[in-house]
């Protein structure tokens, strides 16, 4: 049996928060694969169905984020599951908006929902981390996380949720690489940042070249046997010493 956990906070006031993207993904999977309607059990909303031929329970803890492990641990013990049977979908500040990472085990990155699940279930469960981006300063983290997705976010949010739902069976089969590849193919264009227009490349300026002197020096003229050298004066005496007096 597989347990898919979407993390979030209960209540309509939190429904569109970035922190609730785990709930959103869980709902999308349940709809796409015709799971049962959600009912209440384990202090959570749960829906039953199958993924890749395996019985699967989707669970949305109603304990509020910081106590998510209370609910997940109860379901885990009831069904006698191991951490390896659990997939948790949650928001991730340190990943760019709309990007995904999938891993088993590891740290909680300060995520209170994961801290709670670690305490009740151990750490060796799979985490599907959905990037929501970092606001840039720690003082803005709470308003960002507990704020609704912006209008600009809608360009990537729904296509990403659809792609997660469409390819959820690959996670159930343990094909993590295949799942991430399918997501990239499905959302790559929608998630690609706009490239700034480039100005046409300018031809490099040619280095300035020194102008050639209009005439040759007196010494060069003397070597070439040219007559345009002074007949008298200091320069004439110097030339005579260099080349000999041919008079």
């Amino acid at each position: 049996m597989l347990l898919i956990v979407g993390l979030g906070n209960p209540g309509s006031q939190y429904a569109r928060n970035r922190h609730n993207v785990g709930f959103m993904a869980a709902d999308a999977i349940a709809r796409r694969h015709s799971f049962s309607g959600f009912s209440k059990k384990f202090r959570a909303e749960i829906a039953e169905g199958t993924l890749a031929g395996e019985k699967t329970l989707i669970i949305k803890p109603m304990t509020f984020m910081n106590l998510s492990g209370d609910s997940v641990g109860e379901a885990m013990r009831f069904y006698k599951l191991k951490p390896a049977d659990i997939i948790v979908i949650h928001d991730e500040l340190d990943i760019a908006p709309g990007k995904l990472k999938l891993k088993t085990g590891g740290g909680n990155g300060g995520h209170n929902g994961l801290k709670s699940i670690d305490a009740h279930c151990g750490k060796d469960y799979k985490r599907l981390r959905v990037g929501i981006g970092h606001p840039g300063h720690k003082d803005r983290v709470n308003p960002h996380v507990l704020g609704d997705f912006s209008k600009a976010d809608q360009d990537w949010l729904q296509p990403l949720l659809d792609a997660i739902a469409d390819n959820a069976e690959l996670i159930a089969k343990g094909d993590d690489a295949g799942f991430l590849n399918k997501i990239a193919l499905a959302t790559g264009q929608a998630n690609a940042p706009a490239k700034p227009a480039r100005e046409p490349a300018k031809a490099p300026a040619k280095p300035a070249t020194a102008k050639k002197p209009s005439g040759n020096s007196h010494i060069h003229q003397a070597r070439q046997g040219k007559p345009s050298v002074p007949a008298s004066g200091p320069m004439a005496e110097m030339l005579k010493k260099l080349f000999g007096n041919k008079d």
Side-chain angles (χ1 to χ4, degrees):
M1 182 175 181
L2 186 65
L3 186 65
I4 295 180
V5 181
L7 294 187
N9 286 312
S12 59
Q13 68 270 40
Y14 302 109
R16 302 305 298 171
N17 284 183
R18 294 179 179 89
H19 216 25
N20 272 40
V21 74
F23 275 11
M24 298 175 196
D27 287 337
I29 294 171
R31 287 193 301 269
R32 172 67 178 79
H33 297 277
S34 303
F35 276 52
S36 67
F38 281 94
S39 59
K40 297 186 183 300
K41 192 175 183 180
F42 309 123
R43 287 179 284 176
E45 290 187 354
I46 65 170
E48 297 181 1
T50 58
L51 286 175
E54 183 170 4
K55 183 177 179 181
T56 303
L57 185 73
I58 292 177
I59 179 169
K60 298 189 296 180
M62 295 288 115
T63 53
F64 285 92
M65 184 68 80
N66 293 7
L67 299 175
S68 297
D70 293 0
S71 173
V72 180
E74 190 175 336
M76 178 183 174
R77 290 187 294 273
F78 181 87
Y79 290 109
K80 298 179 173 60
L81 301 176
K82 304 182 296 296
D85 300 318
I86 301 173
I87 300 169
V88 177
I89 309 175
H90 65 92
D91 58 301
E92 178 57 65
L93 278 167
D94 295 327
I95 299 176
K99 304 303 180 185
L100 296 181
K101 287 191 178 180
L102 186 60
K103 64 176 292 186
T104 298
N108 56 56
H111 193 290
N112 289 328
L114 297 184
K115 286 181 183 178
S116 181
I117 294 173
D118 287 353
H120 286 268
C121 306
K123 297 183 178 182
D124 295 328
Y125 55 90
K126 190 171 292 186
R127 303 111 189 270
L128 178 57
R129 303 187 289 168
V130 183
I132 61 169
H134 198 286
H137 192 280
K138 64 180 181 179
D139 291 343
R140 297 200 296 269
V141 166
N142 281 346
H144 178 73
V145 168
L146 295 176
D148 288 355
F149 281 107
S150 68
K151 185 176 181 181
D153 289 330
Q154 303 308 315
D155 291 341
W156 60 261
L157 179 59
Q158 195 56 54
L160 180 65
L161 295 174
D162 289 343
I164 290 171
D166 289 345
N167 297 286
E169 289 188 335
L170 292 173
I171 305 179
K173 292 190 292 188
D175 186 2
D176 295 357
F179 171 79
L180 292 174
N181 185 54
K182 289 287 189 180
I183 297 295
L185 290 173
T187 64
Q189 293 301 316
N191 293 330
K195 294 183 179 179
R198 293 184 179 180
E199 293 183 3
K202 295 180 180 179
K206 293 182 179 180
T209 55
K211 292 183 178 180
K212 292 183 180 180
S214 56
N216 291 327
S217 70
H218 293 308
I219 294 175
H220 183 72
Q221 291 175 20
R223 283 180 173 156
Q224 297 299 319
K226 293 183 179 180
S228 57
V229 296
S232 61
M235 180 59 73
E237 292 300 321
M238 184 184 72
L239 294 174
K240 287 178 181 179
K241 289 179 181 180
L242 285 173
F243 303 108
N245 191 348
K246 298 183 180 180
D247 294 340

